[in-house]
């Protein structure tokens, strides 16, 4: 799931690069804001990238939920706590 999240982020960067827009270094938390900043005023990009950002957000939410569950399992397992 984490790999697919990265794939979506890299795809977004690639699409924007085709329009001459570079994201640059940005934290995962600021990624969406930076992308929206770059696509503002470009109707087609706002539509396409908006859908990709929604998919990214869904992947991120599920990844964090799954990660929390795995941490709970690991904390409860005697072998993992050694």
């Amino acid at each position: 799931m984490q790999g697919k999240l990265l794939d979506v982020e890299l795809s977004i960067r690639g699409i924007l690069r085709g329009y001459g827009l570079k994201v640059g270094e940005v934290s995962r938390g600021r990624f969406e804001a930076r992308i929206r900043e770059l696509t503002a005023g470009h109707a087609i990009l706002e539509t396409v990238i908006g859908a990709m950002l929604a998919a990214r957000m869904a992947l991120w939410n599920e990844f964090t939920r799954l990660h929390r569950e795995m941490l709970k399992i690991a904390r409860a397992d005697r072998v993992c706590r050694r």
Side-chain angles (χ1 to χ4, degrees):
M1 198 172 299
Q2 188 175 22
K4 292 301 173 190
L5 177 64
L6 184 59
D7 289 346
V8 171
E9 289 178 353
L10 292 175
S11 294
I12 290 171
R13 286 175 181 270
I15 290 169
L16 293 179
R17 194 173 300 119
Y19 285 86
L21 303 170
K22 292 190 178 180
V23 178
E25 279 190 45
V26 64
S27 68
R28 183 154 275 152
R30 283 252 323 120
F31 184 82
E32 184 172 348
R34 175 67 176 143
I35 299 303
R36 294 208 184 273
E37 175 184 312
L38 289 171
T39 60
H42 301 277
I44 294 172
L45 283 178
E46 285 178 340
T47 302
V48 172
I49 300 299
M52 294 181 77
L53 286 172
R56 176 188 174 271
M57 184 57 68
L59 282 168
W60 178 251
N61 289 338
E62 287 303 310
F63 172 74
T64 56
R65 185 187 63 76
L66 181 60
H67 183 69
R68 280 192 303 269
E69 291 301 317
M70 294 304 296
L71 287 175
K72 284 181 192 176
I73 291 168
R75 285 184 196 118
D77 190 296
R78 282 185 18 224
V79 174
C80 293
R81 287 187 294 151
R82 283 195 230 173

